[in-house]
């Protein structure tokens, strides 16, 4: 098979870097509002009926939305094996915390209404809250630590050693800032979804909380960007070989302050990403204030796109820097699978991603409309 030679290796590497970003953004946009709604559940729903309304805005779609998480994990495994090995082993405890929290969501949906007891249902409501808050927080903390560098190194035979200690070392000030930004961003997104899918008191409370979350997103994104100017970044000091072998030890890297902003000076068009992060959150804030339905969710999606893109563009070509051995840092040019593997995966992505998008669009079209108390109290609707 020689078709893969039609696309250069370095181009395939960039394509899969872009696709990884698309899948992560897709997860944050599609499953992010599920996490945001779950985080807001105890606060926007004051009684059992209102909370059931909130749950039923995401109950029929959350499983389909998690396809983006599976696709993202699969893409990392197949396209960037060293990244998968380091992140999923080094962040093992953090991953376990995320998975435990995510497991609470389906269990909460299924068991919450099995008993009429108010205590029983309240306990599961808080379990759903944990299932939304913890993944949003921990994922943000992880991104904050990636920007600072992760403690790992490669031996000469490319064995990977993680030099970190416990989960708590991830909870450093900048990591926590990134985590809180993630929570506020997804809370804004979840509030936008609730304004689209609910009415009455739930809608009004979601708007008020959404405005606060949008303001926090703007402020924390600005603070995080300013703080990043004082955090050391990473850059090549050896020749860059975009089509070189996937061996991180073939390069030399230095650590210097302000490096994460060099790409914006070299490629000014990249400023579009942080601009979208700010403008999307501002648009969401104004849409909440104007009592628009749907617009806050669209604007928050733009903000998510901008914020996540800002991280990727700031670090490019680095995808996982090492703060104990900069030479071991993983980059787009030395951490990918083979040329053939990337090509075969690209063919699969071209076939299956449009199918997933088409299926998802169909489901949302069928389930379009607001959820109210009448819907959930109708036995024919099989509501949660």
């Amino acid at each position: 098979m020689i078709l893969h030679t039609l696309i250069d290796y370095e181009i395939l590497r960039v394509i899969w870097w872009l696709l990884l970003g698309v899948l992560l953004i897709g997860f944050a946009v599609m499953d992010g509002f599920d996490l945001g709604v779950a985080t807001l559940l105890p606060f926007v729903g004051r009684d059992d009926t209102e909370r059931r309304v909130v749950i039923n805005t995401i109950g029929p779609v959350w499983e389909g939305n998690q396809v983006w998480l599976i696709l993202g994990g699969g893409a990392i495994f197949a396209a960037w094996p060293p990244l998968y090995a380091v992140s999923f082993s080094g962040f093992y405890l953090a991953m376990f915390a995320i998975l435990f929290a995510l497991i609470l969501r389906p269990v909460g949906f299924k068991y919450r209404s099995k008993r009429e007891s108010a205590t029983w249902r309240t306990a599961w409501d808080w379990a759903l809250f944990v299932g939304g808050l913890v993944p949003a927080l921990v994922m943000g903390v992880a991104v904050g630590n990636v920007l600072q560098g992760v403690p790992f190194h490669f031996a000469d035979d490319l064995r990977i050693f993680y030099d970190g200690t416990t989960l708590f070392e991830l909870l450093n000030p900048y990591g926590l800032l990134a985590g809180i930004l993630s929570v506020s961003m997804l809370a804004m997104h979840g509030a936008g979804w609730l304004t689209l899918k609910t009415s009455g008191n739930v809608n009004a409370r979601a708007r008020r909380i959404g405005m606060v979350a949008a303001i926090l997103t703007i402020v924390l994104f600005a603070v995080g960007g300013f703080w990043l100017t004082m955090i050391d970044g990473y850059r090549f000091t050896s020749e860059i070989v975009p089509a070189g072998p996937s061996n991180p030890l073939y390069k030399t890297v230095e650590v210097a302050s302000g490096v994460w902003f060099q790409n914006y000076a070299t490629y000014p068009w990249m400023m579009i990403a942080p601009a979208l992060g700010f403008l999307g959150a501002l648009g969401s804030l104004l849409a909440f204030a104007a009592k628009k339905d749907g617009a806050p969710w669209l604007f928050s999606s733009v903000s998510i796109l901008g914020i996540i893109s800002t991280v990727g563009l700031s670090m490019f070509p680095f995808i996982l820097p090492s703060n104990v051995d900069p030479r071991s840092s993983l980059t787009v040019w030395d951490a990918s699978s083979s040329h053939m593997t990337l090509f075969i995966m690209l063919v699969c992505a071209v076939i299956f991603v449009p199918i997933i998008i088409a299926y998802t669009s169909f489901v949302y079209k069928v389930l379009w409309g607001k959820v109210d108390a009448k819907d959930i109290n109708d036995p024919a609707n099989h509501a949660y």
Side-chain angles (χ1 to χ4, degrees):
M1 181 178 181
I2 60 173
L3 288 177
H4 71 285
T5 60
L6 297 176
I7 305 179
D8 292 337
Y9 196 13
E10 59 266 36
I11 294 176
L12 277 172
R13 282 170 160 169
V14 173
I15 288 174
W16 271 103
W17 175 77
L18 291 170
L19 284 175
L20 178 59
V22 168
L23 294 175
L24 293 178
I25 292 169
F27 166 70
V29 170
M30 298 307 298
D31 203 35
F33 71 78
D34 294 343
L35 300 177
V37 168
T39 302
L40 299 180
L41 174 62
F43 311 106
V44 295
R46 298 292 175 81
D47 57 36
D48 184 65
T49 298
E50 289 182 347
R51 291 184 179 181
R52 287 188 66 199
V53 167
V54 173
I55 291 171
N56 278 275
T57 65
I58 59 174
V61 298
W62 73 269
E63 289 177 292
N65 292 339
Q66 280 205 315
V67 168
W68 294 96
L69 175 62
I70 297 169
L71 287 174
I76 295 174
F77 172 78
W80 310 100
L83 174 62
Y84 180 89
V86 174
S87 59
F88 279 68
S89 58
F91 291 153
Y92 179 81
L93 292 177
M95 295 288 184
F96 183 83
I98 292 173
L99 289 175
F100 175 79
L102 289 177
I103 289 171
L104 287 176
R105 183 164 52 173
V107 175
F109 286 150
K110 299 300 182 183
Y111 281 88
R112 182 190 183 277
S113 296
K114 294 297 184 181
R115 297 177 59 185
E116 296 292 337
S117 168
T119 301
W120 171 269
R121 293 189 172 187
T122 299
W124 283 114
D125 289 339
W126 284 105
L128 289 171
F129 165 78
V130 171
L133 176 69
V134 170
L137 177 66
V138 175
M139 289 176 186
V141 167
V143 172
N145 279 271
V146 168
L147 285 166
Q148 298 175 88
V150 177
F152 73 94
H153 73 275
F154 286 90
D156 291 338
D157 58 1
L158 294 184
R159 285 180 299 158
I160 301 171
F161 294 89
Y162 184 75
D163 301 307
T165 53
T166 66
L167 174 63
F168 295 102
E169 72 177 354
L170 301 178
L171 304 179
N172 53 73
Y174 192 79
L176 287 172
L177 173 70
I180 298 172
L181 169 59
S182 175
V183 171
S184 64
M185 177 180 74
L186 296 186
M188 170 183 68
H189 198 43
W193 179 254
L194 288 175
T195 63
L196 176 65
K197 296 290 290 183
T198 66
S199 56
N201 291 331
V202 173
N203 185 291
R205 295 186 197 111
R207 290 187 188 281
R208 291 195 293 269
I209 296 175
M211 292 176 66
V212 174
I215 293 172
L216 281 175
T217 300
I218 294 170
V219 172
L220 292 173
F221 189 38
V223 172
F226 176 75
W227 195 339
L228 194 61
T229 63
M230 297 177 282
I231 292 177
D232 290 340
Y234 298 74
R235 64 186 173 196
F236 281 88
T237 55
S238 58
E239 179 184 1
I240 299 176
V241 185
S246 292
N247 186 334
L249 302 182
Y250 279 9
K251 66 178 181 298
T252 56
V253 174
E254 71 173 356
V255 179
S257 179
V259 171
W260 288 148
F261 289 85
Q262 285 187 348
N263 280 344
Y264 298 104
T266 305
Y267 309 102
W269 62 266
M270 289 185 176
M271 289 298 297
I272 295 173
L276 289 177
F278 285 114
L279 293 176
L282 178 61
S284 189
L285 172 63
L286 296 177
F288 280 127
K291 298 183 179 181
K292 300 291 185 179
D293 289 343
W297 186 86
L298 292 175
F299 279 116
S300 63
S301 298
V302 172
S303 183
I304 290 172
L305 167 65
I307 291 172
I308 295 178
S309 296
T310 297
V311 176
L313 291 173
S314 298
M315 295 177 58
F316 185 84
F318 289 86
I319 51 179
L320 190 65
S322 169
N323 58 16
V324 296
D325 179 23
R327 187 178 64 143
S328 294
S329 298
L330 301 178
T331 75
V332 173
W333 312 129
D334 58 26
S336 74
S337 293
S338 68
H339 192 174
M340 176 69 79
T341 300
L342 295 183
F343 178 78
I344 293 174
M345 288 178 58
L346 180 60
V347 172
C348 294
V350 169
I351 295 172
F352 291 106
V353 171
I355 293 175
I356 293 170
I357 294 174
Y359 166 79
T360 302
S361 301
F362 174 75
V363 169
Y364 277 84
K365 180 181 179 180
V366 171
L367 297 173
W368 193 252
K370 290 183 178 289
V371 179
D372 56 29
K374 180 180 177 181
D375 293 322
I376 65 171
N377 290 322
D378 185 351
N381 288 331
H382 303 287
Y384 287 100

